[in-house]
Amino acid sequence: MYKVLFVTSEVTPFSKTGGLADVSGALPAALATAGCDVRIVTPFYGFIDLDQFDFPSATLLTARTIDLHGRAQPYRFRRVVLNRRHEVFFVECDPLYDRPGVYVDPFTNQDYIDNDYRFILLSRAALELCRVSEWIPDVIHCNDWQTGLVPYFAYQIKRAGEWKRTRTLLTIHNIAYHGLFGTETLHRISGEVPQYYTP
């Protein structure tokens, strides 16, 4: 039985802007049916109302803090069990996710200016969840640019001597969206990242 960590910025029936959400809802369910132990990690956006879904009450897990290169950001997980081998862990962080849109402010039709922070947090929190729960994934399935840093962060864990058998996979659902940011974002990720950047 494989342990699969599925990291995504949207997932049906909770959040959706396009086909990514449909895949994020259907593929983990199919993997769980096939016998895999699947955990989905996704943001808890402000418009998500868990009361409207026929799932057991969400469990709140211990609050944590991540240092986003000098910016201490508290967050916590909200856990929903879909079935015995299929769970959703929402990353709850009101300053970054309690908004009416997923990527774009619906009132201005502009991308949120801190989308880099928002999805750096998602990427790091997903791996932190595994570490604190001592649940080591065999496969980490990342989706689109929002989780494109997960393999880099996972590599740092492997370089430290952990998770040696863990493999990462990045699926690009829409190549039109690249997640382009200025070079200052590199310093928000890690002090080491600029060595991998070539202008």
Side-chain angles (χ1 to χ4, degrees):
M1 178 179 67
Y2 288 103
K3 294 179 180 178
V4 180
L5 177 68
F6 197 91
V7 191
T8 180
S9 56
E10 53 185 277
V11 55
T12 56
F14 307 107
S15 56
K16 178 178 177 177
T17 67
L20 167 60
D22 295 326
V23 173
S24 299
L27 179 56
L31 291 171
T33 300
C36 294
D37 181 5
V38 184
R39 294 185 178 186
I40 301 172
V41 180
T42 192
F44 190 72
Y45 299 111
F47 56 80
I48 296 176
D49 179 9
L50 292 178
D51 292 336
Q52 67 177 305
F53 302 106
D54 189 22
F55 299 123
S57 299
T59 302
L60 289 174
L61 305 183
T62 305
R64 305 192 63 77
T65 300
I66 277 183
D67 179 8
L68 294 179
H69 204 63
R71 173 176 168 176
Q73 185 60 69
Y75 70 97
R76 63 183 177 179
F77 292 103
R78 190 180 289 259
R79 174 175 171 257
V80 173
V81 179
L82 303 183
N83 62 51
R84 187 168 59 90
R85 293 177 173 169
H86 189 191
E87 299 174 304
V88 177
F89 289 84
F90 294 99
V91 180
E92 185 174 343
C93 179
D94 287 350
L96 296 183
Y97 301 134
D98 188 10
R99 302 175 187 181
V102 175
Y103 316 114
V104 176
D105 185 337
F107 300 106
T108 65
N109 204 32
Q110 299 293 316
D111 288 351
Y112 291 118
I113 60 173
D114 58 351
N115 272 346
D116 54 349
Y117 266 123
R118 299 173 77 221
F119 296 111
I120 291 170
L121 173 62
L122 173 64
S123 299
R124 291 188 56 192
L127 301 183
E128 183 66 10
L129 171 69
C130 298
R131 297 188 74 177
V132 298
S133 60
E134 298 183 351
W135 185 86
I136 301 175
D138 298 300
V139 177
I140 304 173
H141 190 164
C142 315
N143 295 273
D144 281 342
W145 71 262
Q146 293 89 354
T147 60
L149 285 170
V150 172
Y152 168 75
F153 293 134
Y155 169 74
Q156 301 305 313
I157 295 173
K158 295 179 75 168
R159 195 171 70 169
E162 304 176 62
W163 295 15
K164 292 187 177 181
R165 299 185 62 181
T166 300
R167 299 293 182 263
T168 57
L169 165 69
L170 172 65
T171 298
I172 299 173
H173 300 264
N174 192 336
I175 196 66
Y177 299 102
H178 298 167
L180 300 177
F181 299 97
T183 56
E184 69 277 0
T185 295
L186 295 171
H187 299 284
R188 295 173 181 171
I189 299 167
S190 165
E192 297 181 0
V193 170
Q195 68 180 298
Y196 299 105
Y197 176 74
T198 302

